[in-house]
Amino acid sequence: MNFNLPRRTVLQKFVQYSASALALVFLSAPIASHIVQAQNTTAVNKTGIKTKVVRLAYQTSGDIVKIKGVVDKRLQPLGIKVEWSPFPAGPQLMEAMNANRVDIGSVGETPPIFAQAAGAQLVYLAGRKPSKGEGSAIIVQKDSPIKTVKDLKGKKVVFQKGSASHYLLLRALAEVGLKYSDIQAVSLTPAEARDAFIQKKIDAWVAWDPFIAFVQKTANARVLRNASGIATQGGFYMARRSFAVENPEVVRIFLEEVDKLGEWAESNPNEVVKILAPELKLDPSLLGVVVRRRTFRLRPINSSLIAEQQRIADLFYKEKVIPKQIAIKDSVLTSQQYAAITPQRISKR
């Protein structure tokens, strides 16, 4: 893949520097003062920080980055305030980002595809390490007559449209020779779907943890097919393109803190349970299952991730789920820009 970024030449930098220096020598004090101020502004811009506020999004299924406040603490000395906004799922988060209400957020592999198809100017910052797929599944009631995915034909299947569950459903149906049009697709938020499932108003539900773990424990839900063996990206951290381009140092700091915390989380699952329990108001034993099935560390954006994301987008277009074919490369940064935002601890992987 070609990544190209226009560069200033060394000569241009020298000329700009020389001109500023001469101006300081020969211009009057008031004018020189303005020039110094302008130079200071340029210096700040060169550090990759142009904002005083970064608006971060998190999903209500549990975000240890938000709970631990590691990004807030790191950016505070730089005079940058962090504002957090909650969302029930990735599609709503992407919609808010597209509406310029959020700067950075974490979602599954599917929401960015739907957002791009809708014309959103968003970019991929980093990928999340894929899990084994046990935390995402198609579930049915314990006594449901539905025994296999093939039995879903003609049935009411609930999921969050545009989420990672949407992709899992398409792949699972294709495995058994079914099409999207073979089921009664119903889109509900996770909370709405959970209530409908508990009240036995739907035939099947495609969801993710902690919702799956909750109904497995409280309603003895049966897993029809989890995401194991189905190629999944693990999700991404996304940003508004303009924010990422103008604030590479802020993005780099953010990703560094997320990955450092992720490394800690994967080595201390019991501690993660302790900090998530008050936030999610779930039994620690249930959360233990959720944490063991979850991943926390990051990986860099590269050609293989982009190619796999393109295959997922092409599947959605083929099934007529998105209105037009998209090119994932249109939502990535240049190699130079990725070099500026990606911490070494992530880029070397």
Side-chain angles (χ1 to χ4, degrees):
M1 179 175 48
N2 255 333
F3 290 130
N4 291 310
L5 178 67
R7 301 178 180 176
R8 293 180 178 177
T9 64
V10 174
L11 179 59
Q12 286 175 317
K13 290 183 178 180
F14 177 77
V15 170
Q16 291 170 351
Y17 175 83
S18 299
S20 299
L22 287 172
L24 284 173
V25 173
F26 294 108
L27 293 180
S28 64
I31 299 177
S33 174
H34 287 301
I35 293 177
V36 170
Q37 186 176 12
Q39 286 182 323
N40 288 339
T41 301
T42 301
V44 171
N45 291 346
K46 283 183 180 179
T47 66
I49 300 176
K50 288 188 178 181
T51 186
K52 292 294 184 181
V53 178
V54 56
R55 300 166 300 174
L56 303 180
Y58 70 100
Q59 294 190 38
T60 51
S61 54
D63 191 313
I64 63 171
V65 179
K66 184 259 182 185
I67 297 171
K68 292 285 283 184
V70 291
V71 174
D72 313 54
K73 294 171 186 175
R74 180 78 182 275
L75 292 177
Q76 191 273 334
L78 299 177
I80 300 175
K81 179 183 177 182
V82 175
E83 296 178 351
W84 288 93
S85 298
F87 295 90
Q92 292 87 348
L93 192 159
M94 289 283 88
E95 186 177 332
M97 190 176 289
N98 187 37
N100 194 23
R101 299 199 306 272
V102 167
D103 298 316
I104 300 174
S106 173
V107 295
E109 66 271 291
T110 303
I113 291 172
F114 278 71
Q116 186 179 345
Q121 292 300 304
L122 312 176
V123 291
Y124 294 83
L125 300 180
R128 287 203 311 271
K129 187 176 72 175
S131 68
K132 294 179 180 178
E134 298 171 325
S136 298
I138 303 171
I139 56 176
V140 295
Q141 301 291 340
K142 61 178 180 178
D143 55 355
S144 172
I146 300 173
K147 303 301 180 185
T148 69
V149 174
K150 201 161 188 176
D151 296 332
L152 291 176
K153 186 173 183 177
K155 298 295 192 296
K156 185 183 292 185
V157 182
V158 170
F159 56 95
Q160 169 71 70
K161 182 179 179 181
S163 70
S165 291
H166 202 155
Y167 172 58
L168 168 58
L169 177 60
L170 283 186
R171 286 292 304 274
L173 291 174
E175 279 183 340
V176 297
L178 293 180
K179 295 181 179 180
Y180 186 63
S181 57
D182 288 327
I183 64 167
Q184 296 181 50
V186 179
S187 179
L188 293 176
T189 65
E192 293 170 334
R194 177 199 57 207
D195 294 342
F197 185 86
I198 292 174
Q199 295 167 22
K200 299 185 177 182
K201 293 181 178 180
I202 56 179
D203 298 313
W205 180 25
V206 193
W208 57 86
D209 278 335
F211 303 102
I212 292 175
F214 178 77
V215 294
Q216 280 182 309
K217 183 169 184 177
T218 60
N220 292 316
R222 176 162 49 88
V223 173
L224 202 63
R225 171 73 162 96
N226 64 26
S228 179
I230 288 181
T232 178
Q233 294 281 65
F236 297 93
Y237 271 98
M238 305 293 297
R240 292 190 301 108
R241 178 179 287 277
S242 59
F243 182 87
V245 170
E246 293 173 2
N247 298 279
E249 180 63 10
V250 175
V251 175
R252 189 193 66 78
I253 290 172
F254 174 82
L255 294 179
E256 185 172 69
E257 291 303 317
V258 169
D259 191 64
K260 283 165 58 178
L261 183 60
E263 183 178 27
W264 171 85
E266 293 186 359
S267 299
N268 298 274
N270 293 334
E271 293 301 312
V272 175
V273 169
K274 288 179 183 178
I275 66 173
L276 281 178
E279 181 86 1
L280 299 180
K281 297 178 174 59
L282 293 176
D283 183 85
S285 64
L286 185 152
L287 272 177
V289 174
V290 172
V291 171
R292 285 195 300 272
R293 299 197 294 211
R294 185 177 288 186
T295 59
F296 297 90
R297 300 201 68 181
L298 304 180
R299 55 180 179 164
I301 299 299
N302 55 37
S303 58
S304 61
L305 258 67
I306 295 168
E308 180 56 36
Q309 192 72 345
Q310 186 64 56
R311 283 191 284 272
I312 297 172
D314 292 343
L315 175 62
F316 278 114
Y317 177 69
K318 178 183 175 183
E319 292 291 332
K320 300 180 180 179
V321 178
I322 57 175
K324 63 179 182 180
Q325 197 160 21
I326 62 171
I328 298 299
K329 63 181 178 62
D330 293 340
S331 289
V332 301
L333 297 169
T334 67
S335 57
Q336 291 89 347
Q337 288 170 327
Y338 277 120
I341 70 167
T342 308
Q344 188 177 8
R345 60 182 293 121
I346 298 173
S347 62
K348 65 184 180 181
R349 290 177 192 148

